[in-house]
Amino acid sequence: MVSNPKAAEIFRGIADLLDVMGERFKPEAYRRAARSIDSLTEDLAAVAGRGDLRSIPGVGDAIEEKLREYLASGRVDYYDRLQKDVPAGVAEMLRIPGLGPKTARRFWVELGIEGPAELLTALDAGRLVGVKGFGEKKIAQIRSAVEAHRAGGSSARLPIAEAYPIALALVRGLREGAGAERVEVAGSFRRGRETVGDLDLLVTTEEAERAFDVFSALPQVKEVRLRGGTKETVLLQNGLQVDLRVVEPAAFGAALVYFTGSKDHNVQIRSLAKDLGLRVNEYGVLRGEERVAGRTEEDVYQALGLAWVPPELREARGEVEAAARGPLPTLVGADDLRGDLHVHLPSNADPDSVDRLLAAGRERGLAYLGVVVVTVDRDGVRSALPDSLRTHLRNASGPQLRTFEVGEFGPAEDPSSPTGDRRPPEWWVARPTKRSGPLQPPSDARGRVFLVAHRGLRDLGDVRGVAAWNDFARKLGAAVEVGPGEDRLDSTWARQARESGLRISLPTGVGESPDSPTGPIALRFARRAGALPSEVLNAEPQPPISGAAKP
DNA sequence: GCCGTTTTCGGCCCGACTGTTTTCAGTCG
């Protein structure tokens, strides 16, 4: 079965092999195409069907040809042939931190080493001693990296919701301990990607050394990887890598742009700068040696003739061209959210928990709360909240903060399956249902506030699955909920949903701890999808319950 | 291999850090 992620994987494989073969620019070209394919909200076969493959950034004649071949046969001959030329283990050596294409190639060609296992054997036999370019330190470094790699080093990307509290704690530690004036988390965390590979922290301070000392001593930090005059890299206890960079205030905006990325976005604005006779780096926008911008991000973009681009959109998907035409539409923000359509009470909730939740809602200035009282699953309707609490909830609701009951309905695991199989939407529609609860989608008027929630689509890039669920939401007249669940596809889902006219619902995290990722991360995902306030159901001042229903 | 309202050829981001070099190569982000 062909799929977008598999196609991207093949191109990344080609890139690795070309790297080892010493090609200069082709590897990056194939990787660029792979990244573009990963960020598609549409199935490749559908794009090909329209004859539109060339519209994918980074896809030209040669890659279009290979995509067609892949879609027709599931294979790419060029990749198969490359794999015959280069042993798989040589490409795998590229996965070892600190080992790049040049070194991997030298090991292979000069020493006949064809993979990490053989490299370790060679190290044990002392075969690297005396080889030009490999001193004592380098050999020790390689050995430790190979061993970590062989032990299954934790190089996997972390879901952003898990990185969120860690990032908050590090920022807090730096602010309190190092007297840092300004601390920001940049990188893919700031762009709101579903997963992060590392964290990039930027600080302004007069005392870089002190900031590094404080940072290294934080309890989350396991070891210092490298430390220079402006940059420190550490490894956290949980295996996450964190880069800390000290920048001067006059360059903070430029550094923030630079380290927020994405790489493709940076490349695009740099080449634009070049056309204008300017140069962009992390210190500013430069004309010759003169810095013409750098203090704020707005300055930097303005100096390039661009409107400021929200970090969540910096993926080289047309945002630079749009920013050249004029200001971008204002994306949904935290202040736009007037209510929450999906609030859970704990399973051991009592009247006090209900009161605390309502107090939290009022404190946030929310006008309404939709509290989950039933979950609709395979057996029809399951109650999640006892009748006594439902009565308490109704009575406690007032004019400042209205409450109403909502049901949950989504691609949850099939509870009857021991392996937790996911069921396609059709299965839910066709299922025998007892229809015994208060909410009976899709005929009930209140079905309009049904949310198709975010569980169950774990495979990154499963755009077909996403499309099926969005179609399902449309049939129900439901909004699509975006949030930092276990799933990793939410911004793809949300983008596809809003492009097809569906509305989005955003959880606010009301009633959760202040460090909870729910609200902030949901918002980032929605912004990443390009959501405007008008496209978000709970940005409406009134709750969208029956009576308010549109025809 | 891709890309182009100044290009269909000749470019392709750029600086920090490390280690092994005595002026630079490789890797990384």
Side-chain angles (χ1 to χ4, degrees), chain A residues 448-472:
Chain A
R448 257 179 31 82
V449 301
F450 258 85
L451 309 172
V452 168
H454 49 70
R455 282 169 301 180
L457 289 164
R458 283 185 188 159
D459 293 337
L460 194 64
D462 180 8
V463 292
R464 265 192 298 270
V466 167
W469 280 103
N470 280 335
D471 287 345
F472 184 45

Side-chain angles (χ1 to χ4, degrees), chain A residues 387-417:
Chain A
D387 286 345
S388 61
L389 284 186
R390 291 173 66 173
T391 306
H392 184 74
L393 187 63
R394 268 196 295 276
N395 294 339
S397 184
Q400 277 101 33
L401 181 66
R402 297 178 63 188
T403 64
F404 53 97
E405 300 178 342
V406 297
E408 241 188 329
F409 197 64
E413 288 175 15
D414 172 1
S416 67
S417 159

